[in-house]
Amino acid sequence: MKKLVESSGVEVAFKEVDVVTTGTFGAMCSSGAIINIGHSDPPIKIEKAWINDVPICHPGAAVDLYIGATATSETQSFEYGGGHVIEDLVSGKEVELRATAYGTDCYPRTRIKTNLTKDDLNQFYLLNFRNCYQRYACAVNSRDETIYTYMGKLLPRFRNATFSGAGELNPLMNDPDYETIGVGTRIFLGGAQGYVIGEGTQHDPQNLNGTLMVRGNAKKMSPEFLHGATFTRYGTTMYVGIGIPIPILNEGLAKKTAIRDEEIFTNIIDYGVPRRDRPKLGKISYKELKSGAITIDGKKVRVSSLSSLKTAKKIAGTLKSWIEEGMFYLTTPVERLPLDSVFKLMRQTEETSFIANVVHAAVTCKENEPIQAIAERIVKQSVNHIVVIDDAGKLSGIVTSWDITRAMAEGRKALADVVTRRVITAKIDEPLETASKRMAQHNISALPVINSERKVLGIVTSEDVAKILGR
Amino acid sequence: MVRILLRFSENIVEQPITAEIILALKVPINIIAAHVNSKGGEVLAEVPDAALEKVVTAYREKGATVSLPKLIEVDSEKCFSCGACVALCPVEAITLADDNSIVFNKEKCIGSTCGACVEACPARAIKSVKQGNSELANDLNPKK
Ligand code: SF4
Ligand code: SF4
């Protein structure tokens, strides 16, 4: 379609093409499966359940369970989770169910352990409440350390970038006004046929961040299009394959489905900043993202995809052949999806603490001051940390009372001998929580607070943190 | 050429061992990757097949540990071609083909001295594996 519109124009394309198939295959955390495991004898009303040591939700009656993709194993932690359980079941593997209950007159049993395959389940439906994101951000990291996120491993100081999404192949990008995709639309889901059952959570079509809620019979699905996955130090998730046919009902749809990667832009976002509003560093097209390298601040940064374009293409191709062979029939939606819903921010009734709430003036010294003078200052001000600054007030090191004690014991005179140069710092708008984590990680008890020019604004200590966070 | 992994302890890391061996044996030794600090070092080197035994013995005599490097293997059954590993590889040993599948170039990979791609793979399709039980591997076991 895209090529046809380019070469022959919208009118010709509209006449010639009946359906455009689309596809996407990526990590979709808000996914899971509902299962019904049947009644045991004596029966049990499950209170807590695990499959292969992954905790499973029990949102309903006695033996209905929901396997959430991001639930992680209690024994293997991030290496195995709900997504892997679903993949194992889909592949026909046997899984181990353990459950406990409080026992009632009608459900007397209090514990059970049994092995199950998908054939033993009454129902096994994929039920994903947010899938198929229309587009997603491109992630980078400004920090001095590698961070591990749901956007993968991000190297320090913008040394790599990651992105997600199929761009021009994404279903929602090809029908951005939801003319054909609505409640009841039959789709390709995980290798089988499924349905759109509504808009996904956080659906935000006006900002081109639409999402879908979908359902499909997992017993018929294939592990090729449904894959448990692990993001190191982040957690588990599931890769889900979705394909949607878009009937070309009018010239407008012919034009919309001709969208190209160079017309689809997304934001480059700094995941190094641990806040909800992470800084946007610019816009970038999917064409550039797919090229393997982007430019940030004039520097070339290598970028890789987290979702699979190869599988996305395969899904669109499979769907096409299903339609051609009469194995898949298109449906008309029974209800349109909302076009005006907005993604609201959380109402927070309890205050969150940031560094700005606890920062206080740092006791400082200059590089050339004698140890004796610094020791006196430590005693007089009764502090444990002295921040070393240069004439411009910029951070050049830190010394603790312990460093000074040792220096005096060893008869050293120069500050340079005892100062720590690689100082771990905090930023003024950073949440207290992350600063506290950093202190614990490096086993230190204070962080100088600096601005982007490395000017010292103050200091926070573990005591300040303990007062607020109570730890 | 054969790749070998050399480990130098804190005591010997400051000595110019590789230079001495090159001069003494007159064989070219190519350093592929090196992580060295005052606490010790790990070096991935390439030596000609014919000179392997001589070189290994020479390093051992000078107190270095010699082993075969662990290399990376990509399990094509598990890999779903997302590409997350591609941009992380410092030597471009992993690239994307035109059909968006990944191509792994074993020759370029510096193996366990790097390992950057292993933990980045969401499908856990990349493993760091010991090189096979070839005679070479046995030859390299420390003889006591
Ligand atoms: S181990 Fe390092 S060099 Fe080898 S493929 Fe992985 S990232 Fe590249
Ligand atoms: S990160 Fe893993 S799954 Fe993705 S392309 Fe590389 S090897 Fe394949």
Side-chain angles (χ1 to χ4, degrees):
Chain A
M1 175 58 106
K2 301 183 196 294
K3 281 189 191 135
L4 191 62
V5 170
E6 259 164 40
S7 61
S8 317
V10 173
E11 265 170 60
V12 176
F14 168 54
K15 284 201 190 101
E16 301 228 329
V17 180
D18 299 322
V19 180
V20 167
T21 60
T22 59
T24 184
F25 182 75
M28 304 189 192
C29 288
S30 292
S31 299
I34 197 98
I35 58 171
N36 178 286
I37 58 173
H39 287 298
S40 58
D41 182 28
I44 184 169
K45 175 175 173 284
I46 291 176
E47 193 192 0
K48 287 196 174 127
W50 296 260
I51 294 183
N52 291 352
D53 292 337
V54 176
I56 304 299
C57 308
H58 44 99
V63 288
D64 290 312
L65 300 170
Y66 186 80
I67 310 168
T70 56
T72 56
S73 157
E74 288 178 356
T75 49
Q76 295 178 64
S77 159
F78 291 175
E79 294 303 308
Y80 189 88
H84 299 91
V85 170
I86 295 169
E87 181 190 338
D88 281 348
L89 278 168
V90 165
S91 318
K93 287 191 190 149
E94 203 171 67
V95 296
E96 184 198 74
L97 173 95
R98 271 188 299 126
T100 57
Y102 46 77
T104 68
D105 289 342
C106 45
Y107 290 110
R109 193 163 192 146
T110 57
R111 51 186 59 236
I112 194 156
K113 194 167 150 185
T114 184
N115 289 355
L116 301 168
T117 67
K118 65 177 171 186
D119 298 331
D120 303 318
L121 305 175
N122 290 311
Q123 279 76 28
F124 176 24
Y125 277 94
L126 207 64
L127 191 62
N128 302 348
F129 41 99
R130 181 169 68 254
N131 274 184
C132 208
Y133 249 116
Q134 195 166 3
R135 60 183 180 136
Y136 215 85
C138 164
V140 292
N141 169 26
S142 63
R143 272 197 241 172
D144 287 338
E145 63 206 341
T146 298
I147 59 171
Y148 295 83
T149 70
Y150 64 81
M151 292 299 284
K153 182 171 167 179
L154 297 172
L155 301 175
R157 281 164 261 119
F158 308 114
R159 275 188 16 235
N160 75 328
T162 59
F163 75 101
S164 190
E168 64 185 25
L169 258 186
N170 177 283
L172 307 187
M173 271 299 168
N174 283 273
D175 182 13
D177 301 316
Y178 302 86
E179 290 175 69
T180 72
I181 302 173
V183 178
T185 299
R186 187 176 287 136
I187 61 172
F188 173 110
L189 179 60
Q193 299 188 15
Y195 296 89
V196 173
I197 57 173
E199 85 272 24
T201 54
Q202 301 183 8
H203 181 57
D204 186 5
Q206 285 160 359
N207 290 312
L208 297 180
N209 286 321
T211 70
L212 295 178
M213 201 176 286
V214 300
R215 187 200 95 144
N217 188 352
K219 286 193 182 187
K220 296 192 174 148
M221 293 182 187
S222 136
E224 189 182 356
F225 302 108
L226 209 59
H227 231 291
T230 294
F231 282 99
T232 299
R233 294 207 229 159
Y234 169 74
T236 61
T237 183
M238 188 161 66
Y239 274 65
V240 180
I242 294 184
I244 304 187
I246 296 167
I248 307 303
L249 304 175
N250 51 50
E251 275 185 23
L253 276 165
K255 201 168 164 203
K256 286 170 199 164
T257 51
I259 191 160
R260 306 288 339 218
D261 282 333
E262 48 264 49
E263 301 166 74
I264 305 173
F265 286 85
T266 190
N267 291 312
I268 303 173
I269 299 223
D270 181 3
Y271 276 68
V273 176
R275 294 294 296 270
R276 180 173 60 203
D277 293 319
R278 300 187 179 104
K280 295 189 179 92
L281 305 176
K283 283 201 180 309
I284 191 87
S285 76
Y286 269 82
K287 182 168 186 188
E288 287 165 274
L289 289 172
K290 288 182 186 175
S291 75
I294 58 172
T295 312
I296 299 174
D297 270 349
K299 263 198 254 150
K300 188 182 151 195
V301 177
R302 293 173 71 205
V303 55
S304 41
S305 165
L306 298 172
S307 48
S308 172
L309 284 169
K310 189 185 171 194
T311 313
K313 282 183 191 159
K314 190 162 181 190
I315 289 169
T318 308
L319 186 53
K320 183 179 172 202
S321 59
W322 283 358
I323 296 168
E324 283 169 347
E325 288 159 28
M327 290 156 63
F328 184 106
Y329 292 98
L330 274 70
T331 55
T332 316
V334 291
E335 193 182 306
R336 299 278 306 265
L337 296 184
L339 294 170
D340 56 356
S341 60
V342 286
F343 177 25
K344 286 189 294 209
L345 305 174
M346 188 193 281
R347 171 175 173 230
Q348 282 168 287
T349 51
E350 210 176 79
E351 222 175 292
T352 313
S353 297
F354 295 96
I355 292 291
N357 303 121
V358 294
V359 66
H360 49 83
V363 177
T364 60
C365 73
K366 293 277 167 62
E367 197 75 42
N368 51 12
E369 285 186 64
I371 296 267
Q372 182 67 33
I374 299 170
E376 277 162 23
R377 200 166 307 150
I378 286 181
V379 176
K380 209 160 123 212
Q381 312 255 13
S382 84
V383 288
N384 272 319
H385 300 85
I386 301 263
V387 180
V388 188
I389 52 173
D390 65 10
D391 290 336
K394 288 185 187 176
L395 178 69
S396 73
I398 191 165
V399 278
T400 63
S401 47
W402 160 250
D403 296 330
I404 297 294
T405 314
R406 206 187 53 193
M408 296 191 56
E410 292 172 1
R412 290 172 195 261
K413 295 260 150 43
L415 183 64
D417 293 340
V418 291
V419 69
T420 301
R421 296 283 178 205
R422 286 203 56 157
V423 189
I424 315 289
T425 60
K427 298 218 168 77
I428 194 88
D429 57 355
E430 186 180 338
L432 211 51
E433 190 88 46
T434 57
S436 153
K437 235 178 160 173
R438 195 160 336 114
M439 278 195 241
Q441 197 183 345
H442 295 278
N443 197 16
I444 51 177
S445 53
L447 301 171
V449 181
I450 56 170
N451 68 9
S452 55
E453 275 112 52
R454 295 191 68 77
K455 253 209 166 108
V456 177
L457 307 175
I459 192 164
V460 271
T461 65
S462 49
E463 284 143 45
D464 304 328
V465 173
K467 260 183 242 155
I468 303 254
L469 300 180
R471 60 178 87 133
Chain B
M1 295 294 257
V2 195
R3 285 189 177 182
I4 53 174
L5 188 67
L6 308 165
R7 285 206 188 82
F8 303 95
S9 66
E10 195 174 347
N11 308 331
I12 57 168
V13 71
E14 308 218 321
Q15 298 167 22
I17 295 181
T18 300
E20 284 167 13
I21 294 178
I22 294 175
L23 288 174
L25 301 181
K26 304 218 169 9
V27 288
I29 298 176
N30 191 12
I31 307 289
I32 309 280
H35 297 291
V36 182
N37 59 32
S38 58
K39 296 248 150 43
E42 198 179 60
V43 169
L44 182 68
E46 215 171 41
V47 291
D49 297 38
L52 180 65
E53 248 198 88
K54 269 198 297 184
V55 172
V56 170
T57 318
Y59 272 110
R60 292 229 168 98
E61 275 167 6
K62 290 187 186 286
T65 324
V66 188
S67 58
L68 282 177
K70 278 190 180 175
L71 283 185
I72 299 305
E73 251 171 38
V74 183
D75 182 341
S76 53
E77 291 278 294
K78 278 192 176 169
C79 168
F80 47 55
S81 309
C82 65
C85 50
V86 176
L88 289 166
C89 179
V91 294
E92 301 187 20
I94 313 176
T95 46
L96 276 184
D98 286 343
D99 72 343
N100 295 105
S101 49
I102 61 152
V103 185
F104 175 55
N105 185 339
K106 231 181 173 138
E107 304 284 295
K108 279 192 181 172
C109 170
I110 54 176
S112 55
T113 37
C114 163
C117 56
V118 177
E119 60 171 10
C121 171
R124 292 293 185 256
I126 310 180
K127 293 247 143 55
S128 172
V129 279
K130 268 208 180 116
Q131 275 189 297
N133 287 331
S134 66
E135 271 178 52
L136 200 69
N138 296 333
D139 273 350
L140 290 183
N141 287 334
K143 286 172 192 141
K144 286 225 170 123

